[in-house]
Amino acid sequence: MTNRQYEYSLLVLRVTLGVIFLAHGLQKISQLDGVIQFFVSLGMPPFAAYAVAATETIGGAMLLTSFFPRIAAIAISLVMLGAIFTTKLDKGLLNGYEYELMLLSAAVAVGLSGSRIFSLGAALQTKKQPEQKQF
């Protein structure tokens, strides 16, 4: 696999993951009262619902733009671990936590690799580099 193929495969993974999490985050924000009630029913504090909704929304947007994709992927990985261990683990792999496990795996891959192609972060970084003086 060439470096170009590698970068494009990460792009597909990053954008898909970003779209999924942005959509889930926006859905949680639009139904925040119900999400808070669900979190409380699990014995979690209400602010956890806000934190998860914000992480999914902002993290999804960060992945889409590749603005600090590693940080976004780590945050999303933590949300997926929380989902698996608080609501899905007792259901088993099949019809249980397989979806969350796949999203966790994709987030870990993006977190370990980063993604530089079509990246807002990379574009800003190249613009910020100071000009070198030539003597």
Side-chain angles (χ1 to χ4, degrees), residues 66-86:
S66 193
F67 188 68
F68 297 111
R70 287 186 168 143
I71 293 170
I74 290 168
I76 284 172
S77 296
L78 294 174
V79 168
M80 286 298 92
L81 283 170
I84 290 169
F85 285 104
T86 59

Side-chain angles (χ1 to χ4, degrees), residues 27-29 31-40 49-50 53:
Q27 181 183 35
K28 280 181 178 63
I29 288 171
Q31 302 170 358
L32 198 53
D33 289 338
V35 174
I36 292 169
Q37 289 175 1
F38 176 70
F39 275 61
V40 169
Y50 292 101

Side-chain angles (χ1 to χ4, degrees), residues 17 20-21 24 76-77 80 98-108:
L17 196 61
I20 289 169
F21 276 97
H24 276 270
I76 284 172
S77 296
M80 286 298 92
E98 74 272 11
Y99 179 67
E100 289 78 7
L101 183 61
M102 189 64 231
L103 292 174
L104 171 63
S105 300
V108 168

